Amino acid sequence: MPVVGWVLLYILKKDNLINKLVSEAEIPEPPLFTSTHRWEDTPEQNVSLTKPGLSPAERVREAVDCLPTRLESPLAADVPPSSSLKRWTIMDFSRAYSSGETTPVQVAKRFLAAVKECSGPTMNMAFFISCDPEDVLKQAEESTLRYQTGTPLSVMDGVLVAVKDEIDCLPYPTTGGTRWLGKARPCEADAACVAQLRACGAVLAGKTNMHELGAGTSGINPHHGSARNPYNVGKVAGGSSSGSAAVVCAGLCPVALGVDGGGSVRMPAALCGVVGFKPTAGRLSNAGVLPLNWTVGMAGILAGTVEDAVVAYSAIVDQSQPSYLRPELNLPMLTSTPSISNVRLAKYGKWFNDSSEDIRTCCDKALQTLRAQYGWETLDVTVPEIEEMRLAHYVTIGSECTASLAKYLDKLKRSEIGWDVRVALGVYGSFSSRAYLNSQRLRNRQMFFHKEIFKTADVIVSPMTGVTAYTLQDDALSSGELDYINGAALIRYSIAGNFLGLPAITVMVGQDKGGLPIGLQFIGRPWSEATLLHIAFAMQEACSKNHRKPVVFYDLLKKD
């Protein structure tokens, strides 16, 4: 397979843009090797500043105070029409547990029954790589006892949270979507973000499926099955955090963790119609996350609603570093989102419109809605050298992936790796040191371009993907898939968030003619997570009433 990589690269060299725009380009800027950002006093409207040194559960309590109040019991709430979508939130589960209308054990049993059903041969949704019923029930029993004694740890106590199988979570191995990595690299402790969720009482629901080694955008995995899109089981869920997006979409968990190295949280979130949130590089700890791409990847959040993203974010944010290295944590006061004024949205029209007609129309309509309801202004801008940035990111993430895995790959039979990932690794391993160094020069150059845009705009807005979920090909299920046309369309708008370490969020704004979700993305200044969450919440409230329910959907708060 190393030969295949070189042959593929030779073919590409006939018109090799990596050579033309990266390796052989004259770039005046010095290299910038990380995407971390210095402390900046970013002005944000309607935020609550949390005190340093709070525990995860205490931060969650601060976040709850920022949420809009809904007084009715979830089990007494009006049932929407069968075709419309109602997602239960963390607060809904917490109220149901506190009132005694249901318990974490009852919800866990419904969850496990649903996982068993959708994992069987009839549905074959392949959401999870591993899920231990005994462990899930044990956690739920402990949570139920805390509610019975009036001592829940937080509103997340008893709430199911799934974890991408790229993040350490006991008692499971971390496979990275492979058959071999869990044995070669034993999981000895929870990742930092998982430990924080556990400290809040969350029930860790299992390890979700993913594209093998995160090296693809479809979520097709020849080893563990291909996670299917709950809106249409014949379509991809997106990658690489495919299972995490799909379980939230299907109602199995209000929140899941993913890892985002090239849109791998936000892309599947958009394809599955859920919220995908990647904070600023350095805002979350990477301890216990597979080090597949050091300078572009980090953990992220997939959630059914923006409110749940806020709560989960407050739980897992890393406040262990000195305050001079990063700003203190601002949480958005979603109760006052409608009063936010003078938000400026930067739109690069040529880039924005490089998407399907349904996506362009839907996303433009969403921006018009924000202008009509809030008076927020859209500014025309240019983002220079987008193709150069995409290629530089590709060289960077590929080089870092092969370097991080070298000690394993040198001893591994290539037959243990899917065909698509074998080819990808062959291409990654062919990148030169000159290509890598020039990519970091381009990172520095792009950082300047984006900072210039943020001098006049608060966020950059774009579709999240250029296409909606595409069809799963039967012959790809056992081999993996290299679909560079759809892959390029899916990743088109993802790069700045990773390559430049900027915070970014996607929220569903509608559906295409086939009923598949469409996501709109907002990219913010460094450390401006609260502003992004405000804008995403406003967008959610304006668009969510017309969302249709997925074909595969479970109501875990239903009465038995």
Side-chain angles (χ1 to χ4, degrees), residues 164 166 176-177 209-222 236-243 259-268 271 292-293 393-394 397-398 401 418 420-425 428 470 480-484 486-488 490-491 494:
K164 183 182 183 181
E166 196 176 334
N209 206 348
M210 60 178 286
H211 203 108
E212 185 179 6
L213 294 175
T217 58
S218 67
I220 295 172
N221 187 310
V236 299
S240 60
S241 304
S242 50
V259 179
D260 196 314
S264 291
V265 162
R266 292 163 286 142
M267 275 188 290
L271 297 192
L292 297 179
N293 32 72
H393 169 269
Y394 183 57
I397 194 171
C401 179
D420 62 329
V421 176
R422 286 187 232 178
V423 174
L425 290 172
Y428 296 166
Y470 61 88
E481 178 183 72
L482 285 173
D483 184 339
Y484 282 114
N486 279 313
L490 288 179
I491 203 170
S494 300

Side-chain angles (χ1 to χ4, degrees), residues 34-69:
T34 67
S35 57
T36 52
H37 296 273
R38 297 177 181 176
W39 187 96
E40 295 180 25
D41 187 13
T42 303
E44 296 189 279
Q45 300 180 54
N46 300 356
V47 299
S48 172
L49 177 63
T50 62
K51 300 175 183 177
L54 296 181
S55 69
E58 289 170 333
R59 292 196 301 272
V60 166
R61 283 195 284 274
E62 299 264 325
V64 169
D65 291 339
C66 297
L67 302 182
T69 303

Side-chain angles (χ1 to χ4, degrees), residues 284-439:
L284 308 181
S285 172
N286 273 344
V289 178
L290 287 181
L292 297 179
N293 32 72
W294 302 288
T295 71
V296 295
M298 64 178 291
I301 296 165
L302 299 105
T305 65
V306 175
E307 300 97 307
D308 285 350
V310 171
V311 174
Y313 170 59
S314 70
I316 67 174
V317 71
D318 181 16
Q319 290 193 305
S320 65
Q321 299 296 320
S323 60
Y324 63 81
L325 293 178
R326 70 191 70 176
E328 294 175 338
L329 176 64
N330 283 335
L331 294 173
M333 299 177 66
L334 300 184
T335 51
S336 59
T337 294
S339 66
I340 290 181
S341 60
N342 301 322
V343 173
R344 297 159 300 173
L345 309 169
K347 175 186 174 184
Y348 179 24
K350 181 180 179 181
W351 184 48
F352 190 100
N353 293 332
D354 192 11
S355 55
S356 71
E357 182 180 352
D358 284 356
I359 291 176
R360 285 196 305 274
T361 301
C362 182
C363 290
D364 271 328
K365 184 179 178 181
L367 291 182
Q368 293 168 14
T369 300
L370 286 180
R371 183 177 180 85
Q373 293 193 10
Y374 299 96
W376 296 348
E377 182 182 4
T378 300
L379 307 176
D380 291 326
V381 301
T382 298
V383 184
E385 301 176 11
I386 284 178
E387 181 65 1
E388 287 88 337
M389 178 169 64
R390 182 185 73 82
L391 293 170
H393 169 269
Y394 183 57
V395 169
T396 301
I397 194 171
S399 300
E400 292 177 359
C401 179
T402 51
S404 69
L405 294 172
K407 63 180 179 181
Y408 306 119
L409 297 177
D410 291 344
K411 305 173 184 177
L412 192 67
K413 292 181 180 179
R414 293 288 164 150
S415 60
E416 296 189 57
I417 305 173
W419 283 95
D420 62 329
V421 176
R422 286 187 232 178
V423 174
L425 290 172
V427 174
Y428 296 166
S430 67
F431 295 145
S432 67
S433 58
R434 182 178 178 183
Y436 185 81
L437 287 170
N438 271 1
S439 294

Side-chain angles (χ1 to χ4, degrees), residues 228-260:
R228 296 175 180 270
N229 194 312
Y231 273 94
N232 183 330
V233 299
K235 304 290 184 178
V236 299
S240 60
S241 304
S242 50
S244 289
V247 296
V248 174
C249 175
L252 293 173
C253 302
V255 171
L257 294 182
V259 179
D260 196 314

